[in-house]
Amino acid sequence: MRRKMLVFSVFFLLFSGLVLGQSYSHDEKMYFGEQEEIGDYIVEYSSQNGDDVLEIGRWMDTSFRIMDQVENDDIYEREGETLNISENLSIRIGSSGWDRDGRFLNLDIMADKEILSSGEIDSSAPSKIIVSQDDSADIPFTIENTGFLNQTYNLSVDTNASVEASFSFQDFNVTEVYVEAGEEESVTANLEVPENAELGTYKVRLIAQNGEKLSEEFQMEIRGAEVEREMSLNIRENYMASNPDETKEIPITVRNSAGFGYRDDSTGAALENVEIEVTAPDSWEYDLNPEGFSELDTRERQRSMLTLDVPAEASPGDYFVEISASSDKASIESPSEIRINVREESGMSSVGLVLMALSLAALIFVYRKFSRR
């Protein structure tokens, strides 16, 4: 019997040493009433039915099992004692006390790296993104280290789509990112879609791994390359005459002419963030309504009205107004030009009116004088 006990003791010591050699240690200061998750274990230091309780439980499948429990004075009298919860988790009871935040109990948690390591990955990108051939997409995401150990996460992308993935962190291209315990870091995944990529919808998983594999999944639809982007301007009048201190209204039509003349709309692409640009002579005021359009679909056209004020002090002669337009991926190659001829104000019109009035008065006088005879 004594031989069996001796053999068992030696085996236990060897086994404990093996486990301890693979364990990591973390000091935890638990306040009364708190609960701490350690992997699938839960450590709670609280009051139950009026008793002080240090309880360690574990989720096993769908049920919760109490692994160990220490109550009342035993908690404080067993300072320095180790609770062997399982083959990969031990908890040494430390000192207790009070501080400004309340009553606390120090615990030394010894566990496998996998138990002390946990994290979350999250992306603000939509659940489905659309990318064209020969284009790219940037996917922002965050990695939060919710565990007790500082971690270096290896970054990768898992997908059947023929894309080239890279990662950027603080303006550097990286393949891994370091995240301290309790902190989070923001990373951007860049997905380059080659020109010959197969069309279709694919699942894409962003992966951050260090023992535990964190992943975020979304769908990516690859569409055919947008082969044409083109826009044009139509101005009704390219020449007009004006007097000083006169207001002119000039309609401007912007058209997405990509694919124009084809039956298939897919030969063109929508224009986004269209802006109309006006260059007027110095001291000439103008108003443009609207100043642009958020989007123009293929073959769509929209009108804007340019209201131009000719200054009262404008000298006679020709003046030129340039009008152009641009969008995110297309622009007008050459601006359109409007020539405005400011005419010289003449006093002959008022003189003519005076002469006409005098002539009419003379005729009336003559008529009345001779009609009395």
Side-chain angles (χ1 to χ4, degrees), residues 70-130:
V70 186
E71 298 179 355
N72 294 323
D73 292 342
D74 284 349
I75 300 174
Y76 314 109
E77 292 175 357
R78 295 172 66 176
E79 179 180 342
E81 185 175 328
T82 299
L83 306 178
N84 295 307
I85 308 303
S86 66
E87 63 182 20
N88 50 16
L89 174 64
S90 298
I91 297 177
R92 181 183 293 113
I93 300 175
S95 61
S96 60
W98 291 79
D99 62 15
R100 60 187 301 175
D101 295 321
R103 181 152 49 116
F104 65 85
L105 177 65
N106 288 315
L107 300 175
D108 184 12
I109 301 171
M110 295 165 287
D112 290 349
K113 180 180 179 181
E114 289 73 15
I115 294 178
L116 293 178
S117 302
S118 62
E120 295 179 0
I121 184 172
D122 183 60
S123 174
S124 59
S127 58
K128 181 178 181 179
I129 64 172
I130 299 174

Side-chain angles (χ1 to χ4, degrees), residues 11 23 28 35 44 71 108 111 117-118 130-131 137 149 158 162 217 240 269 284 304 310 323 357:
F11 175 77
S23 295
E28 180 70 17
Q35 188 180 86
E44 182 176 353
E71 298 179 355
D108 184 12
S117 302
S118 62
I130 299 174
V131 190
L149 303 176
D158 180 27
S162 54
E217 185 174 299
M240 58 183 63
W284 286 41
S304 178
V310 180
I323 301 174

Side-chain angles (χ1 to χ4, degrees), residues 24 35 61 64 94 96 158 238 249 278 280-281 293 325 336 348:
Y24 289 77
Q35 188 180 86
D61 296 327
F64 186 74
S96 60
D158 180 27
N238 293 98
E249 289 190 343
V278 177
F293 314 98
S336 298
M348 293 301 296

